[in-house]
Amino acid sequence: MSATPRSRYDWTRDDLADLLSDQPRYRVDQVWQGLYDHGTEPEDWSNVPKALRASVAEHLPPALRPAAESVSDDGETVKWLWTLADGHQVETVLMHYPDRTTVCVSSQAGCAMACGFCATGQAGFDRHLTTGEIVEQVVAARRRSAEAGKRLSNVVFMGMGEPFANYDRTWEAVHRIHDDLGLGARHLTLSTVGVVPGIRRLTEAALPVNLAVSVHLANALERDVLVPINKRYPLAVLAEACAAYVDATHRRLSFEWALIDGVNDTDRHARELADYARPLRAHVNLIPLNPTPGYAVRGTPPARVRAFAELLGDLGINATVRRTRGTDIDAACGQLRATHGEPGPTPVADPARR
Ligand code: SAH
């Protein structure tokens, strides 16, 4: 278990067995099933005696208290703002697509990477999330999906925070999501701004999850400014780590590229990206920049996005333009910041305080 259990999903099965040491072992299994197979509240576990349900509810309260919920794209996108036990806030975004349902989870409250175009980076770092706080986001999203008659199929670690700055807890969460919630490793994606030690560790890891790297610029001079961690893990070192990852795992690497008007969307930028991506056979996801309060430059206009994608194609690079979700509720890439101006999301009743 992580040092401070903040969530009921921080408890391992053995921790739970210790906690319920006065109970027969099969009760521990039932509680575990309630948490992971059903992902419901203890009050709903009809196979468990009432007193035990009450005790679990009391000792293991939910860590995520819904502070606000916003819906967009005709109900296909849902964003939650959660308040954690210590008052910090994080966000989770659920997205239904025709062929899949994906939840985008936060790995930290805030982020220390300070990318100027990202709302989370603009707001700064609060703290790491625990394993349980990450897993609980997935469980909440899975429950909501089920209510909508859909099965949660994918998890992307592309919410608030830098997963590889919180590697151990994140990796434990990946295991819990895979081993206990039953999602396939190929349906899980970790996204990093380029924290090289994390890529190296992932290269050695047993579960074949997907890796996405947020590149955004492929020359040192400009990337140092836009993505400050580049000074610590420069592009050449990043490429080396990516190459080792691809060689060792034979998995397809993705690059994220937020297209920013005049900043990284010229033909020269496309050529630099192509030269960087080609030896790694990386697939490029182009995301027209979403607006954030602290960054004045706008996203690349649609015609330029198309031209950039076409040029990449001509240069032999596989590129797709990502459709933006939830921009109107600040739920799109880079817009998560756990504070809200007007018009704000609708506050919801907190079931834990009923
Ligand atoms: N720290 C990790 C996880 C965050 S993922 C990472 O950087 O990969 C969030 C993704 O959205 C990243 O690719 C990030 O670069 C991108 N992003 C950040 N701000 C954005 C914005 N304003 N518009 C579009 N994409 C943005």
Side-chain angles (χ1 to χ4, degrees):
M1 179 167 49
S2 38
T4 326
R6 295 181 185 270
S7 160
R8 52 174 66 149
Y9 293 93
D10 280 320
W11 296 72
T12 65
R13 223 180 166 109
D14 288 342
D15 295 331
L16 209 60
D18 286 348
L19 186 76
L20 306 177
S21 54
D22 57 337
Q23 299 282 334
R25 183 74 201 198
Y26 71 92
R27 291 287 181 216
V28 177
D29 296 337
Q30 286 174 334
V31 168
W32 194 261
Q33 278 159 12
L35 291 173
Y36 287 90
D37 297 349
H38 308 306
T40 47
E41 288 304 308
E43 65 196 33
D44 299 322
W45 305 340
S46 50
N47 57 339
V48 175
K50 234 185 171 138
L52 179 55
R53 280 188 257 166
S55 157
V56 171
E58 187 198 329
H59 287 101
L60 310 176
L64 309 177
R65 292 166 181 274
E69 183 179 314
S70 328
V71 179
S72 101
D73 302 318
D74 278 337
E76 299 296 277
T77 304
V78 181
K79 179 177 87 165
W80 290 276
L81 171 68
W82 310 106
T83 304
L84 308 174
D86 61 359
H88 289 304
Q89 294 191 314
V90 294
E91 295 179 312
T92 306
V93 184
L94 175 65
M95 294 160 284
H96 298 297
Y97 298 92
D99 60 332
R100 67 189 188 282
T101 291
T102 300
V103 65
C104 177
V105 297
S106 296
S107 55
Q108 298 178 315
C111 185
M113 297 296 123
C115 304
F117 57 93
C118 174
T120 311
Q122 289 157 17
F125 177 71
D126 293 325
R127 69 164 168 87
H128 297 306
L129 295 192
T130 66
T131 293
E133 287 168 330
I134 299 170
V135 173
E136 216 177 298
Q137 296 172 62
V138 179
V139 172
R142 188 181 64 170
R143 196 188 307 180
R144 174 60 61 88
S145 301
E147 285 164 16
K150 316 241 172 155
R151 192 181 62 84
L152 181 72
S153 55
N154 294 62
V155 180
V156 296
F157 288 73
M158 296 185 181
M160 295 168 70
E162 167 51 47
F164 287 172
N166 185 19
Y167 191 96
D168 290 333
R169 298 180 192 86
T170 296
W171 190 250
E172 186 63 33
V174 165
H175 262 287
R176 219 60 83 71
I177 293 163
H178 175 269
D179 304 350
D180 299 301
L181 295 177
L183 274 83
R186 285 172 200 286
H187 295 262
L188 313 180
T189 300
L190 293 174
S191 181
T192 180
V193 69
V195 175
V196 164
I199 298 174
R200 295 205 179 111
R201 290 182 71 180
L202 189 68
T203 303
E204 306 292 318
L207 284 181
V209 301
N210 303 304
L211 173 64
V213 179
S214 299
V215 180
H216 308 308
L217 274 163
N219 74 77
L221 227 55
E222 291 171 314
R223 195 170 193 263
D224 275 354
V225 178
L226 194 72
V227 179
I229 198 72
N230 192 67
K231 288 179 236 149
R232 177 123 169 242
Y233 305 115
L235 282 162
V237 177
L238 178 59
E240 234 172 67
C242 288
Y245 167 86
V246 171
D247 283 352
T249 63
H250 304 292
R251 280 173 250 155
R252 193 184 75 173
L253 179 69
S254 301
F255 280 172
E256 314 285 299
W257 192 277
L259 277 166
I260 311 173
D261 195 21
V263 171
N264 64 355
D265 64 354
T266 69
D267 286 358
R268 168 179 64 86
H269 289 112
R271 285 197 194 90
E272 288 171 356
L273 167 57
D275 289 345
Y276 194 71
R278 193 177 299 108
L280 301 168
R281 293 182 301 278
H283 179 98
V284 175
N285 285 315
L286 300 170
I287 318 152
L289 185 83
N290 296 306
T292 61
Y295 192 72
V297 190
R298 58 185 185 135
T300 299
R304 183 69 217 148
V305 171
R306 279 194 299 276
F308 193 91
E310 268 170 33
L311 178 51
L312 283 179
D314 293 345
L315 295 168
I317 303 301
N318 227 317
T320 42
V321 179
R322 210 194 266 167
R323 211 190 112 202
T324 281
R325 276 296 184 93
T327 322
D328 55 327
I329 54 168
D330 285 348
C333 303
Q335 293 189 311
L336 305 183
R337 59 188 244 122
T339 57
H340 24 95
E342 290 300 318
T346 327
V348 292
D350 181 346
R353 287 173 199 269
R354 266 199 308 245

